[in-house]
Amino acid sequence: MTDTPTQLFIGGAWVDAADGATMPVDDPATGEILCHVADAGAKDARLAEDAAVQAQEEWARTAPRARSEILRRAYEIILDRTDELAHLMTSEMGKPLAEARGEVAYAAEFFRWFSEEAVRVEGGNGVLPDGRNRMLLSRRPVGPCLLITPWNFPLAMGTRKIGPAIAAGCTMILKPAPQTPLSSLALAAILKEAGLPDGVLNVVTTSRAGEVCEPLLRGGRIRKLSFTGSTQVGRLLLAQSAEAVVRTSMELGGNAPFIVFEDADLDKAVDGAMVAKMRNMGEACTAANRFFVHSSVAEEFGRRLAERMGALVVGPGTRDGVDVGPLIDRVGRAKVEELVADAVERGARVLVGGRTPEGAGCFYPPTVLMDVASDSRLMDTEIFGPVAAILTFDDEDEVIRRANDTPWGLVGYVFTEGLDRALSVSERLEVGMVGLNTGLVSNPAAPFGGVKQSGLGREGGRVGIDEFLEYQYLAVPVR
Ligand code: NAP
């Protein structure tokens, strides 16, 4: 903690906010203030923009191999500092240390993956169909980017954007969530140590997101927005990006269906449910939000899931043996409480959990709700907490219709032992990703992203770098 930077990172230097403002960072396990970090305003945003714009031309000319090696070095430093980074993340975000270590590895992997992709960017050439012109096709960085990240994966949401931006030759301004600025600042220090030139990455921590970001999006110098966060904020930023026709990648909210058919292996289904629901205490865009379980196995599935959920240890993420840390803040917890109360009012049975504990910290117990009514609010709201809501179904067409009956389409989970059914149901789900007999889809080598109002574009995989590249086509007459 003592070495973690708390200032803004602009043009390769650590600086205070121009007006001297700072903001507190809280520990969600205790409610106590961990430290204060610089709180950027519009002037700081302009300075960060100047630095990114100024660095862009030279950075674009850097050899891909040089960019690749910076990412590779940063990957190694991150892994070397796993424990330190995990403690930092747990202290500002709350997730148990074991999960934080897992996120450090996941976050680092984006740098390794994109260090490999940086040297594989290819263009093309050929003679056009009329025979009169040749086409030379090259890929170029899109230009200075604004990267906006949420608090739920404080390190990985940053590396998932910074990795491909560096690989493609883009400069950038990162605006992390105000709840979790420390992981991003630590990441900037690591990239500087790994040799990233000044101005390529700038980090502005702020409690004044609108004041900082809107002028950047409307100003015409930022050429790309990569946003991860709620659909509601995503919509607003899309509108702001329209004015200067800024390219956008949007990783937005989800409302994942988790479907258990009568022929599913229930052991696998319960294991999958534990991951799909409980990774990150349910504070994940990929979290299973609606469990549709065939009526013939629903009671058994609910009983087994409640047993597993009830056995989890809730407490501060730094304590040994804790499985479930606090939620991010009191607002987040109050939302979970309201959603559970609403479902119970409409007839849901509480199999386990459902009661907020007394005391400091934003804890909420793992909860399983059975017989949830379809009109409950949590059916069309991201719960973002450790609450599994179970509904039953009897027919395949019916469950697909209900699973798709939502404006979101990030991920779905399907549990069945039948191959034909597994493939046909997956194909009919309106989602960008499907976990087939597994509760975990995230992997840096796979394209992550959603359809419908869950977003635009993909992060990771072979296509992740494309979001930061433009094509340039040269027409050359054939002589
Ligand atoms: P959020 O409220 O949308 O905030 C996300 C980020 O946007 C934060 O840094 C936030 O800063 C910033 N922001 C908010 N209003 C802004 C504005 N007017 N201008 C510029 N920036 C603004 O979401 P969250 O509560 O932090 O994160 C949870 C959401 O993220 C969930 O919906 C979850 O599904 C989604 N998510 C999606 C993915 C994915 O890959 N699809 C991954 C993780 C999370 P402030 O807090 O200061 O406003």
Side-chain angles (χ1 to χ4, degrees):
M1 266 308 298
T2 43
D3 295 339
T4 307
T6 55
Q7 291 171 292
L8 309 176
F9 185 61
I10 297 180
W14 296 102
V15 294
D16 289 330
D19 62 4
T22 62
M23 60 181 185
V25 184
D26 296 338
D27 177 348
T30 61
E32 283 166 15
I33 293 176
L34 288 167
C35 63
H36 286 79
V37 299
D39 187 359
K43 185 162 179 209
D44 306 295
R46 214 168 34 250
L47 293 173
E49 184 186 36
D50 289 345
V53 169
Q54 213 178 337
Q56 179 58 64
E57 198 179 337
E58 196 178 329
W59 179 236
R61 278 202 304 267
T62 317
R65 179 68 73 200
R67 299 201 294 266
S68 163
E69 283 172 357
I70 291 169
L71 284 172
R72 177 71 202 200
R73 276 195 295 278
Y75 159 75
E76 281 162 10
I77 300 172
I78 293 173
L79 287 190
D80 280 350
R81 302 207 185 133
T82 296
D83 263 4
E84 198 182 307
L85 289 165
H87 271 93
L88 189 65
M89 198 190 303
T90 293
S91 67
E92 64 177 350
M93 188 274 170
K95 69 179 72 184
L97 272 178
E99 279 204 60
R101 286 194 191 95
E103 184 181 335
V104 173
Y106 175 53
E109 195 57 35
F110 282 106
F111 279 2
R112 177 158 71 166
W113 175 260
F114 285 107
S115 79
E116 292 158 353
E117 291 300 290
V119 292
R120 313 247 183 276
V121 175
E122 288 174 351
N125 68 68
V127 175
L128 293 173
D130 63 11
R132 289 201 288 267
N133 275 316
R134 287 190 196 85
M135 168 180 74
L136 295 183
L137 209 51
S138 62
R139 313 293 308 275
R140 298 148 65 104
V142 61
C145 304
L146 174 60
L147 316 177
I148 302 179
T149 54
W151 48 263
N152 61 344
F153 292 95
L155 205 59
M157 295 302 97
T159 58
R160 199 162 81 169
K161 298 182 189 307
I162 295 168
I166 288 181
C170 295
T171 62
M172 67 209 88
I173 302 170
L174 170 67
K175 192 216 81 67
Q179 296 93 333
T180 55
L182 300 175
S183 299
S184 298
L185 294 170
L187 189 60
I190 287 172
L191 280 160
K192 186 175 169 70
E193 192 180 329
L196 192 71
D198 294 350
V200 173
L201 168 69
N202 305 277
V203 183
V204 288
T205 52
T206 182
S207 67
R208 302 174 264 177
E211 191 185 313
V212 162
C213 297
E214 190 170 351
L216 295 175
L217 290 174
R218 293 191 192 276
R221 294 203 292 168
I222 291 295
R223 295 311 320 144
K224 161 93 195 175
L225 166 67
S226 178
F227 172 75
T228 298
S230 61
T231 298
Q232 193 189 1
V233 173
R235 257 185 229 115
L236 179 81
L237 297 178
L238 279 169
Q240 292 176 5
S241 301
E243 191 169 312
V245 195
V246 173
R247 245 180 94 177
T248 57
S249 301
M250 311 299 281
E251 294 288 349
L252 308 178
N255 185 11
F258 186 106
I259 305 173
V260 183
F261 284 98
E262 67 278 19
D263 62 350
D265 175 331
L266 277 199
D267 289 334
K268 277 190 213 161
V270 173
D271 283 349
M274 291 301 290
V275 177
K277 183 72 252 179
M278 292 308 294
R279 178 170 176 245
N280 225 35
M281 289 90 71
E283 294 172 318
C285 53
T286 49
N289 214 54
R290 299 168 294 155
F291 286 83
F292 295 106
V293 186
H294 193 271
S295 56
S296 63
V297 293
E299 280 300 326
E300 178 65 7
F301 175 84
R303 187 188 63 72
R304 290 206 216 172
L305 184 61
E307 205 172 278
R308 292 274 296 275
M309 293 277 270
L312 295 175
V313 178
V314 181
T318 45
R319 191 180 292 162
D320 276 348
V322 162
D323 303 301
V324 185
L327 297 182
I328 187 68
D329 52 29
R330 295 210 165 237
V331 177
R333 183 171 72 174
K335 176 180 155 196
V336 174
E337 287 168 338
E338 279 165 30
L339 291 173
V340 170
D342 170 79
V344 169
E345 224 164 80
R346 291 171 205 261
R349 275 187 288 144
V350 181
L351 298 191
V352 71
R355 234 170 244 205
T356 305
E358 306 261 313
C362 307
F363 297 99
Y364 194 84
T367 298
V368 179
L369 302 176
M370 198 74 197
D371 303 331
V372 173
S374 297
D375 62 353
S376 304
R377 279 179 49 212
L378 45 64
M379 287 296 103
D380 59 12
T381 312
E382 277 187 295
I383 303 170
F384 248 57
V387 177
I390 302 176
L391 301 93
T392 58
F393 71 92
D394 291 303
D395 172 77
E396 190 172 304
D397 286 338
E398 169 212 339
V399 76
I400 291 169
R401 185 184 49 72
R402 288 165 69 191
N404 287 338
D405 185 19
T406 169
W408 288 285
L410 188 61
V411 59
Y413 303 92
V414 178
F415 284 77
T416 171
E417 292 296 294
L419 180 63
D420 283 352
R421 172 180 265 169
L423 295 178
S424 72
V425 171
S426 302
E427 283 161 10
R428 291 174 68 193
L429 285 180
E430 295 167 356
V431 291
M433 302 174 287
V434 177
L436 208 46
N437 293 321
T438 175
L440 183 68
V441 294
S442 307
N443 189 298
F448 187 103
V451 301
K452 294 159 80 176
Q453 295 187 29
S454 285
L456 301 167
R458 292 293 181 270
E459 289 191 319
R462 295 301 310 274
V463 296
I465 196 168
D466 293 344
E467 304 278 325
F468 293 87
L469 290 167
E470 298 280 20
Y471 279 102
Q472 189 181 49
Y473 147 55
L474 259 69
V476 186
V478 174
R479 292 172 10 122

